[in-house]
Amino acid sequence: MSTHNVLSYAKRIDEICLGEWWQSKDYLDIFTGMIYHIPLHLMNTLNSENNWLLDDGNETRLIIRNLNEGIYYQTNRSKKILGINQNVQILKKLKIFTLYDDLSTKHEIIKNDYRVFRSKVRSLAIRKSTSLLIGSNLIGTYILSAEKYLEFLKKFKDRNSSVEIWYAPHRYLPKHLLQDIEEIGYKIFSYDTILELAQVQQGWCFEEYTSVRSTAIDTLEVLYGIQGKYISLGQEYFVSIDKWEECMQIWKATNRIIKL
């Protein structure tokens, strides 16, 4: 059997470009972090023993909820003329590889305990009186505006004036906003890899992690043993009540909350 990370190639091409060479092979596993057209086509077209859903932050919880409620099974978006097979029934065989141990589903779950990574970071130093606020792609999608986002950041900084606070920017954050955040008094944590690995590369980790929505809070706790906290904001910060309630569900799932 052959195992290929086919999604790394599929991101660069459309489903209809997957030719006979791909389909003539046998695959052990197909991995995806999202449920959309390319993974669905691959699962239906390629001969694989296992189809896996890997962790992709909060999206994983939403996918599990949609699977449990049967939302994906309501529409088949296959395009027969183009040869695109998006038969959603294939998702009933989906297996889950996740760090979350509180998911309730009929799908097979294998717990990811990061045992190899954790063995390499046991001796990593913790820098006292440091806190990392982890940014997410929130402005315009969840938070009303850049002004409201900066308002929240300033309020949080003022409440924690005795701590050295760093900000980990999301990759979509404009440079001018990053400058504004720095002017508020945050140190900018720059990194060119995933946040979880960046701690190892810098040679030390923060004493505290916070975020409005990023599930890096969960992975950092598993990897480094440091319990992070979610920052709970009022409805007035959000573009809609639906987005606020979505975040409320995340906050309710934990007792580690900082209310502003």
Side-chain angles (χ1 to χ4, degrees):
M1 303 292 287
S2 300
T3 301
H4 292 275
N5 183 6
V6 292
L7 287 187
S8 64
Y9 296 93
K11 285 180 180 179
R12 300 177 177 87
I13 57 178
D14 195 74
E15 312 99 311
I16 59 176
C17 296
L18 293 172
E20 294 182 0
W21 187 89
W22 289 99
Q23 298 176 28
S24 65
K25 304 293 180 180
D26 289 329
Y27 298 91
L28 181 60
D29 302 289
I30 293 177
F31 300 97
T32 184
M34 301 281 283
I35 304 300
Y36 67 113
H37 57 296
I38 291 177
L40 275 175
H41 181 74
L42 290 172
M43 292 176 192
N44 278 290
T45 306
L46 303 184
N47 184 26
S48 66
E49 284 193 13
N50 306 295
N51 297 322
W52 291 96
L53 176 70
L54 303 181
D55 274 335
D56 189 23
N58 289 308
E59 192 66 30
T60 301
R61 293 188 180 276
L62 296 175
I63 289 172
I64 295 299
R65 185 183 68 186
N66 290 340
L67 287 170
N68 290 344
E69 295 177 358
I71 292 174
Y72 291 121
Y73 306 121
Q74 296 174 6
T75 305
N76 185 345
R77 294 190 175 88
S78 297
K79 301 178 179 65
K80 293 183 179 180
I81 296 177
L82 297 176
I84 299 174
N85 188 344
Q86 296 183 44
N87 188 343
V88 290
Q89 297 304 312
I90 195 72
L91 295 177
K92 292 181 178 179
K93 299 179 180 179
L94 195 66
K95 299 179 180 181
I96 318 296
F97 186 59
T98 176
L99 69 89
Y100 300 114
D101 56 10
D102 60 345
L103 298 175
S104 177
T105 178
K106 293 180 180 179
H107 291 261
E108 179 183 345
I109 292 180
I110 292 183
K111 179 73 163 35
N112 180 11
D113 59 12
Y114 290 91
R115 64 189 64 175
V116 175
F117 189 94
R118 285 191 296 116
S119 69
K120 299 179 182 297
V121 300
R122 287 173 182 162
S123 60
L124 199 64
I126 298 175
R127 183 171 292 185
K128 298 296 183 181
S129 299
T130 60
S131 176
L132 180 67
L133 198 161
I134 304 166
S136 302
N137 187 25
L138 299 175
I139 299 173
T141 54
Y142 286 83
I143 302 299
L144 269 172
S145 63
E147 289 73 22
K148 292 297 287 185
Y149 192 66
L150 292 172
E151 176 187 316
F152 136 65
L153 289 177
K154 187 177 186 308
K155 190 174 182 180
F156 183 81
K157 181 70 172 61
D158 291 343
R159 285 198 182 183
N160 297 274
S161 57
S162 62
V163 178
E164 182 180 275
I165 302 183
W166 295 62
Y167 183 84
H170 191 274
R171 61 184 177 275
Y172 298 126
L173 189 73
K175 288 185 178 180
H176 71 274
L177 277 179
L178 193 60
Q179 293 173 350
D180 291 339
I181 293 171
E182 198 167 11
E183 288 177 4
I184 291 174
Y186 286 82
K187 292 181 177 293
I188 304 303
F189 182 61
S190 300
Y191 54 99
D192 57 5
T193 182
I194 61 172
L195 182 61
E196 291 82 353
L197 181 59
Q199 315 291 289
V200 177
Q201 293 181 340
Q202 75 174 350
W204 56 274
C205 59
F206 296 89
E207 187 176 32
E208 179 186 63
Y209 299 97
T210 61
S211 183
V212 172
R213 193 179 183 275
S214 175
T215 48
I217 291 291
D218 300 320
T219 52
L220 288 167
E221 179 180 354
V222 172
L223 297 177
Y224 299 103
I226 299 174
Q227 194 175 70
K229 297 177 181 178
Y230 284 98
I231 303 169
S232 171
L233 301 176
Q235 183 184 334
E236 68 273 12
Y237 283 95
F238 288 82
V239 296
S240 69
I241 189 171
D242 289 341
K243 292 297 185 180
W244 178 62
E245 288 179 345
E246 182 182 315
C247 287
M248 286 286 288
Q249 292 303 313
I250 297 170
W251 301 332
K252 286 179 180 178
T254 178
N255 58 3
R256 297 170 284 132
I257 298 293
I258 300 173
K259 291 186 178 182
L260 283 186

